[in-house]
Amino acid sequence: MLKNTIIYTIGTMLPKLIVFIMLPIYMKYLSPEEYGLVQTINALVSVLSIFYLTSLRTSVTRSYIDYENDDEKQGFILSVFLFLIAFSTLLSWVLLNLEVFITPYLFNNIPSDPYFGYMILLSFLSVFPTIPLTLLRIKEQPVKYVTFNAVETILIVILTIYLLIEKNMGAVGSLQAIIYARFLMGIFYIIYLFKFTRLKFRECKLVYITSSLALAIPLIPHFLAGWINSVGDRVLIERYLNLFELGIYSIGSQFNIGLMMLVTSFNMAYSPKFFKLLKKNQLKQNYYSKIFETVVLALLILSLFGLILIPFFINNFGGESYKSSYLFVWFLFGGTIWHLGYILSVSSLIYYKKMKNVAIITVITAISNIILNLLFIPLIGITGAAIAAYIAYFFEFYFVKRYANHYTKEHFKVEGKMLYIAQILLLANLAFVWLLNNYLTVIITIIIIAFVLFKKYGKQVLFKETNSYKL
């Protein structure tokens, strides 16, 4: 289980990690306006893919185990895949024919030609890996899963470098690189799936499709809420500000994506052990609190390090066009720390199968995020978008924590004291840097926290307590 978790983590992180590594190339060959444009198109593709029913991957994972013989499994997978392609083709045709009506509400600073067409094509291509990659996870073939992701990532990198550096095609080249790579991978995904199903069309049944849709469609609001909390602010920035501000915000957000990946990776490793300990009634308050506090402080250290490195990175790789104040990233990092608290709290609700109410909380949080963005962006620009995300993630943590404690109070309670301390330290350092333009207090804070971590928690959590709860 641990081995597979690590492999899947690498596969999930690789595309985002490559994007982060390629930032110097993007910043050299794309202007802030072009970079902001590319990131906005990618953000819109991510939300459109939800309407393209990529949420079927969740229902396929659940429904696959209901079928026992190979014919049923092959018929089920082929039925869902063919439906998904047919539905996506129809939806793409409808959207392309409605371009003249959609673009005035969708774009403000971005030309509809060719970017609307690119957005639809990328959304359509996003459906091809949905079923094949889900099938690889069901069959517990993590190496193939990572290989497919790695090949696509390498193709995107090679094509991006060629179209940006050799052809100097700017934002158009950056998006075309993704289109070509996903088109080539789409062919491989079709071949893999047809090989698995052996094209047993006679085994296809309408019930396979309807049962999968019954599970997938209710998830759409949940995925939409997640999209709003993660990248929805970029769409609003494009409408209310300009592409330069959007580009600066997109660059800052890339640093936060790196931090968010660490939180996601921790959750993938933490959840299985948490569930096992809770099931065996071995999860006690002392152990849970130490894990919670240690991880929060560790993430705070990484956040503070990141805040020191951002100006260095921009000055050395960004050039004059990317010079700006990136203090808004502090609020994005703070939001990620709140999200860590949410992750540590929501595991309890997942264990008790209370995800319906979690989805309600997530949707309410997303709505509040939109309202805050609409209020703050016109007033204080991209900093307002970062503050809106910060507040929304706090609400998400706070209400899920209270709800989770209702079910776990006999075993332990989620105590947010260390999380609040971490936020105070983060915001206090932000104030000092803003007022004094000096990072000395940040360095001192890092040293103090590192010492506290090692002295008070490090040895106990890593050696004594872990040995007491072996699985």
Side-chain angles (χ1 to χ4, degrees):
M1 179 68 72
L2 179 59
K3 178 183 176 182
N4 287 356
T5 300
I6 294 172
I7 296 174
Y8 283 130
T9 301
I10 294 172
T12 303
M13 291 178 63
L14 186 60
K16 296 179 181 179
L17 185 61
I18 292 298
V19 171
F20 184 78
I21 292 173
M22 288 186 65
L23 267 182
I25 295 176
Y26 288 132
M27 295 172 74
K28 184 175 181 180
Y29 292 95
L30 293 177
S31 66
E33 290 82 1
E34 289 177 311
Y35 187 79
L37 186 154
V38 170
Q39 291 302 310
T40 299
I41 296 298
N42 285 330
L44 289 169
V45 168
S46 66
V47 69
L48 267 180
S49 66
I50 298 173
F51 293 102
Y52 275 77
L53 296 180
T54 53
S55 57
L56 278 168
R57 60 181 177 268
T58 304
S59 58
V60 167
T61 303
R62 172 61 186 85
S63 299
Y64 187 85
I65 62 175
D66 292 336
Y67 307 107
E68 297 182 358
N69 62 64
D70 290 341
D71 287 342
E72 288 181 330
K73 291 178 179 179
Q74 291 166 345
F76 168 68
I77 292 296
L78 186 59
S79 299
V80 175
F81 181 72
L82 292 176
F83 165 77
L84 189 57
I85 298 302
F87 174 79
S88 300
T89 302
L90 176 61
L91 180 58
S92 298
W93 179 82
V94 171
L95 291 174
L96 287 172
N97 281 276
L98 294 176
E99 176 181 352
V100 68
F101 301 103
I102 296 174
T103 49
Y105 299 98
L106 197 62
F107 297 149
N108 187 32
N109 298 297
I110 297 176
S112 60
D113 183 24
Y115 296 107
F116 183 82
Y118 286 175
M119 181 186 71
I120 300 302
L121 184 54
L122 283 168
S123 301
F124 173 72
L125 293 172
S126 70
V127 307
F128 284 88
T130 301
I131 306 301
L133 291 182
T134 301
L135 185 60
L136 288 175
R137 297 191 69 174
I138 293 171
K139 296 171 65 178
E140 297 188 38
Q141 296 178 337
V143 175
K144 286 186 178 180
Y145 179 92
V146 172
T147 301
F148 282 0
N149 271 330
V151 171
E152 179 177 325
T153 302
I154 292 170
L155 283 173
I156 291 174
V157 170
I158 294 172
L159 290 168
T160 299
I161 291 174
Y162 174 72
L163 294 176
L164 279 185
I165 298 177
E166 292 296 324
K167 295 296 184 179
N168 194 28
M169 293 177 64
V172 168
S174 182
L175 291 171
Q176 283 187 4
I178 304 174
I179 291 171
Y180 293 143
R182 289 186 176 174
F183 175 78
L184 292 172
M185 288 304 300
I187 297 173
F188 283 106
Y189 287 129
I190 291 172
I191 294 172
Y192 168 77
L193 213 57
F194 283 0
K195 183 179 178 181
F196 171 79
T197 62
R198 300 180 182 178
L199 295 179
K200 293 184 178 180
F201 295 107
R202 65 182 182 276
E203 299 295 335
C204 293
K205 297 178 182 178
L206 181 61
V207 67
Y208 294 149
I209 299 170
T210 55
S211 62
S212 296
L213 289 175
L215 290 174
I217 291 176
L219 291 173
I220 290 178
H222 177 70
F223 284 116
L224 280 174
W227 176 84
I228 291 170
N229 284 332
S230 58
V231 295
D233 47 10
R234 297 175 202 179
V235 177
L236 293 174
I237 290 172
E238 192 274 335
R239 290 202 62 82
Y240 287 98
L241 302 177
N242 53 57
L243 287 178
F244 173 78
E245 294 289 332
L246 176 60
I248 296 300
Y249 188 81
S250 297
I251 287 291
S253 297
Q254 288 299 322
F255 293 98
N256 187 52
I257 287 174
L259 195 68
M260 189 66 81
M261 282 193 298
L262 293 175
V263 173
T264 303
S265 300
F266 165 76
N267 183 50
M268 293 179 71
Y270 161 80
S271 295
K273 184 172 183 178
F274 173 84
F275 294 148
K276 290 177 182 178
L277 289 175
L278 196 56
K279 186 174 182 179
K280 293 179 180 179
N281 197 25
Q282 293 180 345
L283 196 55
K284 306 301 180 183
Q285 182 69 57
N286 186 47
Y287 178 70
Y288 180 85
S289 296
K290 286 176 180 176
I291 291 292
F292 190 103
E293 293 170 0
T294 302
V295 175
V296 169
L297 289 176
L299 191 66
L300 177 60
I301 288 180
L302 291 174
S303 301
L304 294 173
F305 264 123
L307 296 169
I308 294 175
L309 292 175
I310 288 173
F312 173 82
F313 187 92
I314 298 299
N315 290 333
N316 284 275
F317 298 106
E320 289 299 322
S321 61
Y322 282 91
K323 295 292 176 64
S324 182
S325 172
Y326 287 85
L327 293 181
F328 68 88
V329 182
W330 291 56
F331 292 106
L332 296 178
F333 281 4
T336 300
I337 294 175
W338 286 128
H339 188 64
L340 172 65
Y342 163 81
I343 289 294
L344 289 164
S345 305
V346 78
S347 297
S348 305
L349 298 176
I350 295 174
Y351 176 81
Y352 290 106
K353 299 180 180 179
K354 301 296 179 181
M355 286 306 296
K356 179 180 179 181
N357 289 333
V358 173
I360 293 173
I361 293 174
T362 306
V363 170
I364 293 174
T365 300
I367 293 172
S368 68
N369 197 352
I370 293 175
I371 295 172
L372 291 170
N373 271 292
L374 292 173
L375 290 173
F376 291 165
I377 289 175
L379 291 176
I380 49 179
I382 55 178
T383 301
I387 293 174
Y390 180 89
I391 295 172
Y393 277 123
F394 164 72
F395 286 151
E396 184 183 56
F397 156 72
Y398 179 77
F399 290 111
V400 168
K401 180 202 74 168
R402 288 178 62 89
Y403 189 48
N405 282 341
H406 175 72
Y407 290 94
T408 62
K409 57 187 177 183
E410 294 183 0
H411 306 282
F412 63 89
K413 289 183 66 176
V414 180
E415 296 176 344
K417 184 188 299 183
M418 187 58 67
L419 207 57
Y420 297 126
I421 292 174
Q423 295 291 351
I424 291 171
L425 289 173
L426 189 70
L427 295 178
N429 276 283
L430 168 61
F432 277 111
V433 171
W434 180 59
L435 292 171
L436 304 177
N437 195 27
N438 189 292
Y439 285 83
L440 180 61
T441 58
V442 180
I443 297 172
I444 294 172
T445 304
I446 290 174
I447 294 172
I448 292 173
I449 296 172
F451 177 78
V452 170
L453 259 178
F454 180 78
K455 188 76 174 178
K456 191 171 183 181
Y457 301 113
K459 292 183 179 180
Q460 294 178 8
V461 172
L462 294 178
F463 300 106
K464 296 180 182 179
E465 290 294 332
T466 303
N467 291 335
S468 299
Y469 292 95
K470 286 185 178 179
L471 299 179

